[in-house]
Amino acid sequence: LKLMLLVKSFITGRADLNSDYRIVSPMGGGLAPPYLFEDEMVGITKFLQNEFVVGVEAKGPGSDVVAQTVTDRFTAGGLRVERAAEGNVSPANMVVRVECRLDPSEEPVGEWYYCRWHLELNAVDAAAGSVIFSASKDGKSGQLSVERSKTRAVYDMNKTAGILADRLLGELSGSE
């Protein structure tokens, strides 16, 4: 996967370079590249869409919204993503586990109620069981009621999940 994503980024960069510069023969005519980038991109895209599957598992309050954000980021990166139920056998080559926790406070601080949140995102190679990527983030969100502070905490976790998913994609593609 890392190799395919890395080659895809190189091909995209090379195609951009070819659009700006052209290799010219001594006779003054342009030379065609030895292979077509489009053919290579079709092969890579076919592999990423058909042969490599990312499974996304989610648990905890607000995890459906957060898992959807992670799924959208991977889909935008050109990967095939399937939502996997926890514990079910999935055809995924890589499983991304999202865990969300909320700890709302019933005691106001001034007029504000706060909700602490914790987000974990782990990517595991399904075949080997080895961890590819692991990140966690904690935060605190406040609002004028307990329910609104929970809603705000889920919103903040969702934004953070998008950032962590982008970091994971960057690490897989070799750009980070």
Side-chain angles (χ1 to χ4, degrees), residues 38-53:
E38 293 79 20
D39 293 344
E40 296 293 324
M41 286 297 283
V42 166
I44 290 171
T45 302
K46 185 177 178 183
F47 169 80
L48 293 175
Q49 287 293 318
N50 299 326
E51 297 180 32
F52 192 87
V53 180

Side-chain angles (χ1 to χ4, degrees), residues 105-126:
S105 173
E106 302 292 330
E107 302 277 331
V109 177
E111 294 180 12
W112 290 82
Y113 291 88
Y114 288 93
C115 181
R116 293 186 183 281
W117 55 267
H118 177 77
L119 173 68
E120 285 186 33
L121 190 131
N122 299 307
V124 178
D125 181 350

Side-chain angles (χ1 to χ4, degrees), residues 16-33:
D16 292 342
L17 187 64
N18 281 357
S19 67
D20 292 338
Y21 301 102
R22 186 171 187 137
I23 299 173
V24 180
S25 71
M27 305 304 279
L31 295 177

Side-chain angles (χ1 to χ4, degrees), residues 133 166-168 170-171 173-176:
F133 178 85
D166 287 342
R167 273 186 42 206
L168 172 55
E171 193 167 297
S173 65
S175 63
E176 237 180 64

Side-chain angles (χ1 to χ4, degrees), residues 56-74:
V56 176
E57 294 178 359
K59 69 177 182 177
S63 62
D64 286 339
V65 174
V66 173
Q68 186 60 49
T69 298
V70 172
T71 300
D72 292 346
R73 296 293 171 103
F74 278 102

